[in-house]
Amino acid sequence: MNIYDKVASELYGSNAEVMSIGTSACGNDILCAHCGDNSDRQIIITAAIHARECYTALVVLRQIKEFTGSGGVYFIPLVNPDGALFFETGDTLGSRFLRANKAYRQEWKANAYGVDLNCNFDAHFGTGSQNTFSPSYKGYVGEYPLSAPETRALADFTVRVKPKATVSYHCMGGELYWEFFQTGARKARDDAFAKAIADYIDVKKVDGHLNSAGGYKDWCVNSLKIPAVTVELISSGTHPFGPEDFKEDIERNAQLPRFILDEAL
């Protein structure tokens, strides 16, 4: 079973409320599961915005199974379904761009049309040190902020939900990023939030890392003024990673949503 079908099967087989927040460039649903209540204490957890990191979705699927208690969590395990399917199976989904770039399949981060979704948000757009400006397997910022259907869907959904915080799973590095030009009380608040999470899941909190731009975390911090973190799973290794490489991270992160709602916010 491919990762897209696994996500769909486990979400629809769970007790969660399941919805699509939008569709990808090739028309695949971007699925979301909501667990918990509908109070004003909501968080969003995302994974697999980069194709080659699609098995970060397994961490989120475990969290859905484990979640209990008050507050609510919107889990979006597979933000980039087209890229994930291409990386995992080689399915080009009718995309000429994917067909022309099969040589890069195991390194693929972008969506089906060569947009790196984590560079496509409106947060110092196009100023990242590794940004590129033409379609590619990684780094391309897109024509303009939120030009990709996946990022547009996630941004619109986030604005509707009004979360208190967001967590985004990537790999690799065993690190957590949280800063994006906050100052004053917001910086102190977000620093404390990041430290609590980093300590809980045993990753390194990185301070002052400001050479990226256009990411979902960056946009949440910059536009919504909420604490947001990017968690880089797997402390060391070389891409591509398989499902078995995430076993330790799955265990360490299983109860993180409950911890955030009870102790970190």
Side-chain angles (χ1 to χ4, degrees):
M1 183 183 293
N2 64 52
I3 190 64
Y4 181 76
D5 288 343
K6 182 175 177 62
V7 166
S9 175
E10 294 210 12
L11 262 57
Y12 284 113
S14 72
N15 293 322
E17 175 191 4
V18 181
M19 66 204 80
S20 171
I21 69 166
T23 55
S24 67
C26 293
N28 285 305
D29 281 317
I30 304 167
L31 295 176
C32 173
H34 182 253
C35 298
D37 61 39
N38 292 307
S39 68
D40 63 356
R41 295 178 64 248
Q42 305 292 317
I43 62 174
I44 292 176
I45 297 181
T46 71
I49 199 168
H50 284 146
R52 71 184 188 185
E53 301 164 20
C54 62
Y55 299 120
T56 56
L58 301 175
V59 175
V60 179
L61 293 179
R62 175 65 176 275
Q63 291 175 338
I64 293 169
K65 291 179 180 177
E66 298 286 338
F67 185 79
T68 59
S70 61
V73 187
Y74 289 92
F75 297 98
I76 307 172
L78 201 62
V79 176
N80 184 3
D82 300 349
L85 285 167
F86 177 60
F87 163 79
E88 187 181 38
T89 71
D91 189 345
T92 60
L93 305 165
S95 165
R96 292 181 181 177
F97 189 77
L98 293 180
R99 284 200 301 273
N101 288 277
K102 279 193 170 184
Y104 295 99
R105 181 169 73 85
Q106 292 295 289
E107 302 173 71
W108 204 264
K109 296 178 75 174
N111 76 349
Y113 293 96
V115 177
D116 188 323
L117 301 177
N118 210 45
C119 302
N120 189 236
F121 289 86
D122 191 7
H124 297 200
F125 178 78
T127 64
S129 62
Q130 297 183 26
N131 288 169
T132 62
F133 300 94
S134 60
S136 176
Y137 70 97
K138 67 174 183 177
Y140 173 48
V141 300
E143 293 183 18
Y144 51 85
L146 305 183
S147 60
E150 298 90 347
T151 52
R152 198 159 54 246
L154 181 54
D156 288 347
F157 182 74
T158 305
V159 169
R160 292 198 304 272
V161 167
K162 298 182 176 65
K164 299 296 185 184
T166 68
V167 176
S168 302
Y169 283 113
H170 291 247
C171 70
M172 54 167 275
E175 297 176 327
L176 180 149
Y177 299 98
W178 64 279
E179 250 185 286
F180 198 72
F181 303 99
Q182 307 99 311
T183 59
R186 276 208 304 124
K187 185 173 183 179
R189 177 201 65 187
D190 295 0
D191 187 8
F193 178 79
K195 183 179 187 307
I197 293 176
D199 288 348
Y200 183 78
I201 61 174
D202 191 25
V203 296
K204 178 185 176 182
K205 180 173 75 75
V206 178
D207 302 329
H209 180 78
L210 299 173
N211 62 356
S212 66
Y216 179 60
K217 176 267 292 179
D218 306 332
W219 174 78
C220 288
V221 169
N222 196 56
S223 295
L224 304 185
K225 314 299 184 190
I226 60 173
V229 298
T230 294
V231 176
E232 297 280 356
L233 302 173
I234 303 181
S235 59
S236 63
T238 305
H239 286 284
F241 295 106
E244 67 283 354
D245 296 311
F246 291 88
K247 288 180 179 178
E248 291 184 8
D249 287 302
I250 289 170
E251 295 303 320
R252 280 200 297 265
N253 286 266
Q255 297 291 341
L256 181 62
R258 178 78 277 137
F259 172 79
I260 291 173
L261 288 167
D262 287 350
E263 301 188 43
L265 283 177

